[in-house]
Amino acid sequence: MNQWQASMPTNIALIKYMGKKPGQKNVAENPSLSYTLNDLCSTVILKEGDGNDGFEKSSQLNQEEQARFIKHLQFLKNQFDVTQKYQISSENNFPLGCGLASSASSFAALTECALKAFGKESLPASEKAQLSRQGSGSSCRSFFSPWGYWHGDKVEGMDLPYKNLIHHVIVVSKEKKLVSSSEAHQRVASSLLFADRPLRATKRLDLLLKAFAQQDWLRIKQLVWQEFWDMHALFETAAEPFRYITENSYKALLMLESFWHKNQDGPIITMDAGPNIHLLFRPDQQKMCNEIIDATRF
Ligand code: PMV
C-alpha cells in the first residue's frame, strides 16, 4: 500500500490575520506578515485506504479537528478529481492548540502531503499556499521562509533583513485554549474596534516595513508589541469578551518590558491567540536569549 509523508513548519505573525471577510472562505480582512518557525513542525502521513477518508486511531486530534482536516483533504481531492481514499495521521513536535499556531503547520503539511500523493508536488509555492489557505488562513504563509506575506489574494515571500532570528516561546500554559482561533475570527467582528482594524493593520505593516528597511530593531519591537495588543484588544472588546492572556503571561510581559528598559535592547515580543509569548532574537543576542529563558521559567 502506498504512503506519503510531508512536514511543514508553523509561523508566527508580526502583523496578525484576525477577522475574515463574511461569506468567503478564509479571506483575510487585512494583510499579514509572519516569520516561519522552521523548528516547529507538523508531519502528516497519508496512506492509501479503502472505505472512507479517516484518521488513524491514535490521533491526538479531537473529533472536530479531525472533521476539519478530512474536509480539507476532500476539498484538495475535488480540485484534482482524486477519488482514492486515505488514512491520515498527523503529529506535531510541539503542543497543540495553545497559541503555538499549530493549525498553520498542520494544514500546510496536509496540503503538501496530499499534493505529493496526487503527483502535484511540483506546483509553485504560491499555488500550494492558496490551496492551503482554504483549510487554515495562516497556513498559507508557511510555504515561504523566512518571511511570509499574505495580502489580498496573494501569498509570497518577502526579502527582509533578519533572516536568521532565534525563536523562543515562553510557555505559560500547554492547556488547550477554550476559544479556537476559528471562533475568535467570528467573535472579533462584534467589537467596535473592528471596523477600523484593516486600516490600522495596513498602516502598521507599512510602518513595520519601513523599520525593517532601516534595520531599526527598537521600532520593530514597538510596532510588533502594539500589534499583538491590538489583536488581544479585539478579543477583550468583543460583544461577548474572551481572553487568552493569563496572570503569568502578564507577569512575563512586564518582566520583558523592564528588561528592555534596563538594557535598551531585547527581543521582539508577540503573542498569538493563546497565553504563550513568542520572542525573536537577533543572532548576536544569543546570550540575552539564554538569560531570558532562565528568568522566565514557570
Ligand atoms: O489560520 P487560523 O484561522 O487558525 O488563524 C489564526 C490567526 C492567528 O494565528 C491568530 C494570527 C496569525 O496571523 O497567524
Side-chain angles (χ1 to χ4, degrees), residues 11-18 20 26 32-34 68 101 103-104 133 135-139 141 150 177 180-182 184-185 231 235 271-274:
N11 65 74
I12 181 70
L14 303 194
I15 299 293
K16 312 287 181 186
Y17 152 54
M18 183 44 58
K20 308 181 189 192
N26 300 344
S32 58
L33 174 74
S34 60
R68 222 180 124 199
S103 81
R133 177 181 62 81
S136 146
S138 58
S139 74
R141 298 182 309 239
W150 173 19
K177 52 197 185 190
S180 69
S181 50
S182 309
H185 283 294
M231 178 173 79
F235 303 152
M271 295 180 73
D272 211 62

